[in-house]
Amino acid sequence: GVLSGTPTAGGTFNFTVTATDSSGGTGPFSGSRALTLTVNPPTIAVSPASLPNPSVATSYNQTITASGGTGGYSYAITAGALPAGMTLSSGGVVSGTPTAGGTFNFTVTVTDSSTGTGPYTASRAYSVTVGAPTLALNPASLGNATIGLAYSDSVVASGGTSPYSYAITAGALPAGVTLSPTGSFSGTPTAGGMFNFTVTATDSSGGTGPFS
């Protein structure tokens, strides 16, 4: 006579229990009672309470989990948006490589597998701030040029969101030499001497980007 188990369906359930004894002779004898059982919705919890902050151009992988309902659970963004370059899988994994800086607010809703009056849901709001990347520009120095001879060299940026653009932001190149937007130096110098200049690389990040 023990009712036991773990309900996977919500709602009101009506059933009749019949008890039969062990009498002999004209027995056994039985009696019945109609019963009603109401299965309440579960309290579903979504964890963790917060997510670590990502950085632009850095791979990110965090898992959101649920408990308290009937597994398995499905996960979805139901308000706001993830940073560009990141996704939430139906299994609760937030992953990707952010391509936009700034603060992003979004809500994750979990849906369980209960039947009856289910499935049931729970939501948690999250906020992450995508930090700026650390860009590097190489090489540390360039080869020297000679008047009247064709010159060629290049610089390469890393650490941000490609593609990158390059520009001279201080000083000047030798006459006859130019820097392309893609980072290539070319030309034939027509002036001798020491030339000091600054090259700035700018990435393609969105949000609070681009970064340089």
Side-chain angles (χ1 to χ4, degrees):
V2 178
L3 294 175
S4 63
T6 303
T8 60
T12 299
F13 299 84
N14 302 300
F15 54 95
T16 298
V17 175
T18 298
T20 303
D21 75 355
S22 301
S23 298
T26 56
F29 305 101
S30 62
S32 299
R33 182 177 292 277
L35 299 173
T36 298
L37 182 66
T38 298
V39 180
N40 296 314
T43 300
I44 300 175
V46 182
S47 298
S50 61
L51 294 172
N53 290 324
S55 296
V56 169
T58 300
S59 180
Y60 185 85
N61 189 294
Q62 294 292 320
T63 300
I64 297 172
T65 60
S67 60
T70 302
Y73 304 92
S74 61
Y75 302 77
I77 302 294
T78 53
L82 288 168
M86 293 172 56
T87 60
L88 170 66
S89 74
S90 60
V93 178
V94 180
S95 62
T97 302
T99 60
T103 299
F104 297 83
N105 302 300
F106 54 94
T107 298
V108 175
T109 296
V110 178
T111 303
D112 79 347
S113 299
S114 297
T115 57
T117 54
Y120 303 103
T121 63
S123 298
R124 183 179 287 277
Y126 290 100
S127 179
V128 295
T129 299
V130 183
T134 300
L135 271 69
L137 189 60
N138 288 298
S141 61
L142 297 172
N144 290 326
T146 301
I147 293 175
L149 295 180
Y151 180 79
S152 178
D153 209 335
S154 62
V155 289
V156 177
S158 61
T161 303
S162 61
Y164 303 89
S165 61
Y166 303 82
I168 302 297
T169 53
L173 289 168
V177 177
T178 60
L179 171 66
S180 75
T182 58
S184 296
F185 295 92
S186 62
T188 301
T190 59
M194 179 70 70
F195 295 85
N196 300 300
F197 52 92
T198 299
V199 177
T200 297
T202 302
D203 78 349
S204 299
S205 297
T208 54
F211 304 100
S212 61

